Every structure is written in structure tokens, then in C-alpha cells.
Amino acid sequence: MGEDNEDALEALLKVDNLKVHFPIKKGLLSRTVGHVYAVDGVSFHLAKGETLGLVGESGCGKTTTGLAVLRLIEPTSGEVVFQGQDVIHLGKAELRALKRRIQMIFQDPYSSLNPRMTVNQIIGDPMEIHGLYPGAERKARIAYLLEKVGLTPEQGRRYPHEFSGGQRQRIGVARALALNPDLIIGDEPVSALDVSIQAQIINLLIDLQEEFDLSYIVIAHDLAVVEHLCNRIAVMYLGKIVETAPFQDVYLSPKHPYTQALLSAVPVPDPREVKQRVILTGDVPSPINPPSGCRFHPRCPKRMEVCDREEPHLRDLGGEHCVACFLYSH
């Protein structure tokens, strides 16, 4: 990556050693007896106009990471810098202003919309809260956004229950665009939709990114989805990032055994093509008591002795391809 791109990374988002540990309390005095290590030392960066895919199995901490970047969940420690601002230590007023520039598209288009509000109110409320687009200007802005996401201004008078799942997610996208943000975090933005509708929403997000000069973090477990959306991919396992690379490198030459297993599980549309599956043994360990050493070693088909006792760190293999695995330590 050149110097210009590195400057862009600094200018937009940098996450360094982010940790989110949830205390486990028991007894009458609610004493802390342990922690859930949901996110345990995650670092990544994002350039302006770039899309980063955060992928992994359910429970790996990817959604918690996205919520912590927005401070919808308070981080335990670490650093989140957005356009030069230290997000972790912002006061309420500064954080409220920051949230104009970072918005979120939620996974479930059914529960993420208030059923008692019309679409116009759902999209217009953020503008009112932040004092943007007064009077007729707000009405025009709402109509403009509805058209941009494939709906009509007349549909703005309806309630969420009058729409299909795909249409509701379009409303969620319009709401995320309402404050003209720089970054949108999509938490499984298409996983609750039919496959045919997924493609429509993915194409919509791609078109909007170019038109509105957006950057995305797309949280997903489906590697087929992020393939069409993302410039780079970060693979998470049990609260840690185990591999990051440009999406072509991840798909053509995955390095970490966990990434290889994830890719082997992606269905192939051609029935004549025989795909070799990587079958992982055992269950995902508990984030309350993660394994020592490499967290993946109890399930890894390439496990070595060193994996049990030492934790691998992300190693740069060149070309922005980094992997946390002792197979590549020399």
C-alpha cells in the first residue's frame, strides 16, 4: 500500500487492540466471577471509499466489534480513531456529533424499524434530532432518499408492516443515509432476506457507495456475500482477527486453516464441480474460557505443539496479506 493510501487510512478509521469483555456476575452482591471475552484485541484500518468485510462464525465477536466502534457498546479498552478523533474518550455532545458521520444498517429489517412510525418519520427523525434539513427541505430529502433506495415518495406515508422484508431493508438503508454519513456499518445487512432479494440489496449498496462517497464495514458470515461487496476481508475467530487480505487473495490463496475451512463450506453452483471440504472437529470453545495459545488449535487440522502454548500474532506476508498462524512464522 502506498503512502497516499496510508494517509487515507489514518484519515478515516483505525481500530487498535480493541477489547470488549462482559463481566459475569453471581450472588446477592453481584460479584464479578469471570468475563466473556467477546472481542479480545482486534486491530484493523479502513480507507475512505473502501469496504472491509468482517467475517466469521456466529459468536466470534464481529457484531460486538461493530457496535463498539459506534460506542453502542462501551469498549473495555483499546483505541478507535475516526477522522483523527479519539472515539473512546469523546463526551456525550461530541459523540452525538460523531454519530452523524457513522451510521448502521441492522440485520433484522423487521425488528429494527419502529412499527408505530411511518416511513417518513423513521427517516426524518434522525434529521430532526440533529437539526438538519428544516421544513420543506426535510420532506424533499426524505423523498429523494426513498427514490434512491428504490421506493416512491408516496410509500413514505405507510407503516413498516405494509412492506416486504426487502423493502424494509431498503428503508433501513435510507435511514442510514439520512444524515449523509461517511461510514456505514452493515451488520449482516442481507442475511435475513431471500437470496433473490439479497442480490438487489447488495447491488443497491454498491451503487450508493459510489454516488454518496461512502465507506463500509460489512459484517457477515456468508463469504459469498462479502465477495461482491468488499475490497478487503478480515476473518475473526473467537474474538480475534486471524487473517486479513484483499478479497482476491482470501478467495484464491487463503492462508489460515480456519479461513480455508470457511471457504470450503461455500456452496458451488455447478453440480459437476467437486469441491474438497475441510471438516473441522469439535465445537467452538467458550469465550468465557478461551483456549491457551492459538484459540483455533483445538479444532485445527494442522495443529503443532507450539500452538498449544503460544499465541500467534498477525504476520505480514506481503501485499497487505496478514495471518496469525505459526505455519507462516518463518
Side-chain angles (χ1 to χ4, degrees):
M1 175 176 289
E3 291 183 5
D4 290 343
N5 282 344
E6 287 182 4
D7 290 341
L9 295 174
E10 292 292 332
L12 196 68
L13 179 69
K14 182 179 179 182
V15 176
D16 185 37
N17 200 28
L18 180 67
K19 296 183 180 182
V20 182
H21 299 166
F22 297 108
I24 302 170
K25 297 183 181 292
K26 285 187 178 180
L28 291 174
L29 300 177
S30 294
R31 291 177 177 170
T32 300
V33 296
H35 288 85
V36 177
Y37 299 95
V39 179
D40 201 25
V42 164
S43 301
F44 61 87
H45 54 248
L46 186 72
K48 186 172 178 60
E50 186 182 28
T51 301
L52 173 70
L54 204 55
V55 303
E57 292 172 293
S58 296
C60 71
K62 53 190 187 296
T63 294
T64 305
T65 299
L67 294 173
V69 167
L70 257 174
R71 274 186 61 189
L72 294 176
I73 290 176
E74 288 295 333
T76 303
S77 63
E79 187 178 59
V80 178
V81 177
F82 181 75
Q83 293 182 335
Q85 280 189 294
D86 181 359
V87 176
I88 302 296
H89 298 102
L90 288 180
K92 286 185 178 180
E94 293 86 355
L95 183 61
R96 181 174 176 178
L98 175 84
K99 288 181 178 179
R100 282 181 52 183
R101 294 180 282 152
I102 308 177
Q103 290 291 300
M104 195 157 190
I105 301 170
F106 295 94
Q107 177 177 0
D108 187 356
Y110 295 91
S111 62
S112 63
L113 302 177
N114 189 330
R116 298 186 179 185
M117 297 173 68
T118 66
V119 171
N120 284 338
Q121 291 172 324
I122 289 169
I123 300 173
D125 251 25
M127 303 179 196
E128 182 176 352
I129 290 169
H130 289 274
L132 299 177
Y133 307 106
E137 191 179 351
R138 184 176 303 164
K139 185 177 180 180
R141 172 74 174 173
I142 294 169
Y144 169 74
L145 291 175
L146 286 172
E147 289 177 340
K148 283 297 173 185
V149 299
L151 300 173
T152 65
E154 291 74 24
Q155 289 175 303
R157 296 191 290 269
R158 299 181 185 176
Y159 290 86
H161 72 269
E162 300 179 72
F163 294 90
S164 67
Q167 288 174 321
R168 292 186 198 197
Q169 197 61 299
R170 290 175 187 270
I171 296 167
V173 172
R175 178 178 59 186
L177 292 171
L179 302 179
N180 199 23
D182 299 303
L183 169 63
I184 291 180
I185 300 174
D187 181 17
E188 303 270 12
V190 298
S191 65
L193 307 176
D194 294 338
V195 174
S196 60
I197 306 301
Q198 286 184 7
Q200 295 176 17
I201 299 299
I202 289 170
N203 290 332
L204 172 65
L205 292 173
I206 293 170
D207 293 341
L208 292 173
Q209 180 173 32
E210 184 175 343
E211 182 168 349
F212 288 88
D213 195 22
L214 296 168
S215 303
Y216 290 142
I217 295 175
V218 178
I219 297 165
H221 64 270
D222 188 346
L223 285 165
V225 169
V226 296
E227 179 182 7
H228 297 289
L229 269 172
C230 300
N231 307 107
R232 284 189 303 118
I233 292 174
V235 181
M236 283 191 71
Y237 183 80
L238 208 61
K240 290 185 176 290
I241 290 178
V242 298
E243 185 167 3
T244 66
F247 84 92
Q248 301 99 325
D249 292 351
V250 170
Y251 283 90
L252 297 177
S253 182
K255 302 300 183 186
H256 199 281
Y258 177 62
T259 309
Q260 294 168 359
L262 285 181
L263 281 168
S264 76
V266 176
V268 177
D270 187 352
R272 294 167 296 182
E273 185 175 337
V274 179
K275 192 171 188 180
Q276 177 129 13
R277 285 291 309 274
V278 178
I279 306 298
L280 298 179
T281 58
D283 297 323
V284 180
S286 170
I288 297 173
N289 186 26
S292 60
C294 174
R295 296 192 173 189
F296 185 61
H297 84 258
R299 305 173 69 198
C300 183
K302 301 178 181 179
R303 168 181 172 179
M304 300 181 291
E305 184 182 347
V306 67
C307 305
D308 297 12
R309 63 177 189 271
E310 293 184 33
E311 181 181 338
H313 300 286
L314 282 171
R315 175 183 174 84
D316 191 352
L317 304 182
E320 292 189 90
H321 199 149
C322 301
V323 61
C325 182
F326 289 115
L327 291 170
Y328 308 94
S329 59
H330 302 292

